[in-house]
């Protein structure tokens, strides 16, 4: 189960980028940003080794992108993740039919995550005896917008804002839509990732 107290910390699970294939040139700015100060500031639970931290690769531009607009909130409130063939409550088997087989799985800060073969820019969290989708973390360009200003322009005023320097973010911005919350993390004005959790 992804615990509420751990959600902000889950934003730190992206600490390095494995650059391979056609996305290498596009992802170069993210590599410099992520491998630098973030890794030195990472705070990890004593029960978790650094080996369990998810490693994500930025997408090629032809992959799925989550649009951020006036319809995003209503879609999330209904449990659907815009731009992706996903909805909360899908079983692990249903998600695998769309995004491939697991290439890595582990536990991090109270949640079990899976990296799937056809989605290099995201990790998926499943919980319960039926292993249903409860969260997803996506790195750019898997969602529209590069700065908090872009996100506010698309989604309007956030539910809350703050900072989390200890977790490697100088800004954290949250939007809540019913049981679903989006947590955007930024450093030096650039978005690092978004964690979408169904509470």
């Amino acid at each position: 189960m992804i615990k509420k107290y751990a959600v902000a910390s889950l934003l730190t699970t992206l600490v390095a980028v494995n650059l391979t294939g056609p996305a290498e040139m596009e992802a170069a700015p993210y590599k410099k940003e992520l491998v630098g100060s973030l890794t030195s500031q990472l705070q990890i639970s004593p029960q978790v080794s650094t080996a369990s931290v998810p490693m994500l690769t930025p997408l090629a531009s032809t992959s799925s992108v989550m649009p951020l607009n006036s319809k995003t909130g209503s879609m999330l409130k209904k449990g659907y993740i815009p731009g992706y063939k996903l909805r909360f409550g899908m079983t692990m088997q249903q998600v695998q039919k769309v995004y491939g087989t697991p290439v890595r799985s582990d536990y991090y800060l109270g949640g079990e995550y899976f990296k799937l073969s056809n989605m290099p820019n995201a990790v998926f969290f499943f919980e319960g005896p039926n292993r249903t989708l409860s969260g997803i973390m996506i790195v750019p360009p898997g969602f529209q917008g590069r700065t908090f200003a872009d996100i506010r322009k698309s989604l309007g005023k956030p539910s809350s804002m703050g900072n989390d320097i200890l977790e490697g973010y100088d800004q954290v911005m949250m939007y809540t839509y019913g049981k679903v919350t989006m947590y955007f993390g930024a450093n030096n004005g650039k978005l690092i990732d978004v964690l979408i959790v169904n509470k």
Side-chain angles (χ1 to χ4, degrees):
M1 179 177 181
I2 303 176
K3 300 182 187 295
K4 289 182 182 178
Y5 70 83
V7 170
S9 296
L10 278 168
L11 291 170
T12 65
T13 60
L14 178 59
V15 294
V17 177
N18 175 21
L19 294 175
T20 58
E24 183 173 59
M25 293 300 293
E26 185 175 342
Y30 298 111
K31 180 179 180 185
K32 181 179 179 185
E33 176 181 319
L34 296 175
V35 175
S37 61
L38 255 182
T39 53
S40 64
Q41 296 176 13
L42 182 65
Q43 303 293 313
I44 298 176
S45 167
Q47 296 87 2
V48 179
S49 69
T50 54
S52 68
V53 177
M55 306 299 264
L56 304 179
T57 305
L59 288 170
S61 59
T62 56
S63 298
S64 299
V65 175
M66 180 176 60
L68 300 176
N69 54 43
S70 60
K71 297 179 182 178
T72 301
S74 61
M75 292 289 291
L76 288 170
K77 197 168 185 178
K78 294 174 185 175
Y80 293 92
I81 300 172
Y84 292 84
K85 298 174 183 178
L86 291 171
R87 63 174 170 74
F88 290 111
M90 288 176 73
T91 65
M92 187 173 174
Q93 290 76 19
Q94 290 171 324
V95 175
Q96 285 181 37
K97 283 181 182 178
V98 180
Y99 293 110
T101 57
V103 294
R104 182 175 179 178
S105 73
D106 213 326
Y107 290 87
Y108 189 71
L109 296 172
E112 183 178 14
Y113 72 80
F114 292 83
K115 182 176 176 182
L116 303 181
S117 58
N118 297 332
M119 184 53 69
N121 77 312
V123 291
F124 302 84
F125 293 85
F126 298 90
E127 62 180 48
N130 297 324
R131 287 192 170 183
T132 55
L133 184 66
S134 61
I136 181 172
M137 179 183 285
I138 307 169
V139 297
F143 56 90
Q144 292 176 345
R146 292 183 173 266
T147 66
F148 274 15
D150 295 335
I151 302 303
R152 284 194 299 268
K153 185 176 179 181
S154 300
L155 299 180
K157 184 179 178 181
S159 304
S160 64
M161 286 187 67
N163 58 38
D164 195 353
I165 299 299
L166 290 178
E167 297 298 339
Y169 297 87
D170 54 24
Q171 286 184 298
V172 178
M173 186 166 60
M174 301 174 204
Y175 288 85
T176 301
Y177 303 103
K179 295 181 178 181
V180 177
T181 302
M182 303 176 77
Y183 299 84
F184 291 94
N187 206 5
N188 297 321
K190 291 184 179 179
L191 285 167
I192 296 174
D193 52 29
V194 58
L195 173 68
I196 308 170
V197 176
N198 186 38
K199 296 179 182 176

